[in-house]
Amino acid sequence: MLLKDKVALVTAGASGMGRAAAELFAENGAHVVIVDVSEDNARETVAAITSTGGSATAEVIDVRDLGALKALAERVTTEHGALHVLYNNVGIPGAAGMDLTPEEWDASIEINARASFFLSGYLTPALKAAGGASVIFTSSASGLVGSPFSPLYSFTKGGVIALVRSMALALAADQVRVNAVAPGSVETPGLKAFFRTDDEAEIEARKTAYQAQIPLGRVSQASEIANVVLFLASDMASYVTGVTIPVDGGLTAK
């Protein structure tokens, strides 16, 4: 019970890595606030957690709406007084290549960077009130090394890594640790979007080609990312701050 009696908030917490982390947080004793744009998925995730004795609530929010994020932070602070874990997981693959529309640019910046930046700021008083808290971001292996296919994605995820270092320094005196995970390819519902095709045969072909580059020889499962997120969220990582941990099967070690 690594998070017993603690409060955790997870963005994009109703599917993929976010859901895996939310469920693991709850299994370890946390009350989890699940933030997601899909009401059906959010309610389903809460039901799955509570059916096994866990504690969770859903917040249906489009993270591009800063007013909604600020109101969320105010509700969390009012209802719980403090926030022990903030997992800024939300993100999208975004548009590929360099020939982008302004709308495509804005969508990636707003979802991959702006939302987590502002939500972290809105929740800083609640994090400080915890007397020891953890903020975790989902970056990407593409934030550590360049992506020839998605420069905008690498740009946003690389920015997360710089933000983590800065926030860790800014909040260290208040005992708020700030870190990130950098997954490689993860077997989630969003994987199709990364391969940018709905053709199942083509997805399998691209997955096979990508796996050949990974030293461990396979893509990861969402639970494997969640395990590292739990470590960072818990007191097991009490002296870890300002770092980004690759969870990529050795891809960035080459």
Side-chain angles (χ1 to χ4, degrees), residues 52-82:
T52 57
S55 177
T57 53
E59 291 279 356
V60 181
I61 291 174
D62 183 339
V63 297
R64 293 173 293 182
D65 184 344
L66 296 184
L69 291 181
K70 188 171 185 178
L72 168 66
E74 291 170 352
R75 283 196 299 277
V76 169
T77 303
T78 299
E79 292 173 13
H80 302 288

Side-chain angles (χ1 to χ4, degrees), residues 74-139:
E74 291 170 352
R75 283 196 299 277
V76 169
T77 303
T78 299
E79 292 173 13
H80 302 288
L83 181 67
H84 302 87
V85 180
L86 169 59
Y87 180 22
N88 288 306
N89 171 61
V90 68
I92 59 171
M98 296 289 290
D99 185 15
L100 310 178
T101 67
E103 292 75 19
E104 289 171 331
W105 168 272
D106 289 345
S108 285
I109 295 297
E110 290 172 2
I111 296 172
N112 289 2
R114 191 181 75 165
S116 296
F117 182 96
F118 276 87
L119 183 59
S120 297
Y122 296 147
L123 284 168
T124 292
L127 292 163
K128 290 181 178 180
S134 174
V135 180
I136 306 145
F137 289 80
T138 296
S139 179

Side-chain angles (χ1 to χ4, degrees), residues 11-244:
T11 61
S15 65
M17 293 180 293
R19 177 165 177 165
E23 292 178 340
L24 194 56
F25 288 172
E27 287 173 20
N28 279 271
H31 170 75
V32 187
V33 180
I34 295 166
V35 179
D36 205 277
V37 72
S38 169
E39 182 173 2
D40 289 344
N41 289 350
R43 305 298 182 199
E44 180 189 340
T45 303
V46 168
I49 288 173
T50 56
S51 69
T52 57
S55 177
T57 53
E59 291 279 356
V60 181
I61 291 174
D62 183 339
V63 297
R64 293 173 293 182
D65 184 344
L66 296 184
L69 291 181
K70 188 171 185 178
L72 168 66
E74 291 170 352
R75 283 196 299 277
V76 169
T77 303
T78 299
E79 292 173 13
H80 302 288
L83 181 67
H84 302 87
V85 180
L86 169 59
Y87 180 22
N88 288 306
N89 171 61
V90 68
I92 59 171
M98 296 289 290
D99 185 15
L100 310 178
T101 67
E103 292 75 19
E104 289 171 331
W105 168 272
D106 289 345
S108 285
I109 295 297
E110 290 172 2
I111 296 172
N112 289 2
R114 191 181 75 165
S116 296
F117 182 96
F118 276 87
L119 183 59
S120 297
Y122 296 147
L123 284 168
T124 292
L127 292 163
K128 290 181 178 180
S134 174
V135 180
I136 306 145
F137 289 80
T138 296
S139 179
S140 169
S142 294
L144 293 165
V145 297
S147 168
F149 306 110
S150 302
L152 178 56
Y153 184 72
S154 288
F155 173 70
T156 58
K157 292 301 185 177
V160 164
I161 295 170
L163 176 61
V164 161
R165 294 193 187 105
S166 297
M167 280 185 60
L169 296 175
L171 297 176
D174 295 293
Q175 302 305 304
V176 178
R177 299 180 295 104
V178 186
N179 297 287
V181 290
S185 185
V186 187
E187 193 71 66
T188 69
L191 188 59
K192 286 184 180 180
F194 281 92
F195 288 121
R196 293 182 168 82
T197 178
D198 291 322
D199 186 309
E200 295 294 339
E202 181 63 20
I203 288 173
E204 287 304 314
R206 295 185 189 185
K207 189 188 298 184
T208 298
Y210 186 84
Q211 286 178 168
Q213 305 174 48
I214 302 172
L216 288 185
R218 62 177 177 83
V219 300
S220 65
Q221 299 299 311
S223 60
E224 294 177 299
I225 312 303
N227 287 337
V228 181
V229 173
L230 175 63
F231 163 72
L232 291 172
S234 75
D235 288 341
M236 288 195 300
S238 59
Y239 204 59
V240 179
T241 194
V243 302
T244 296

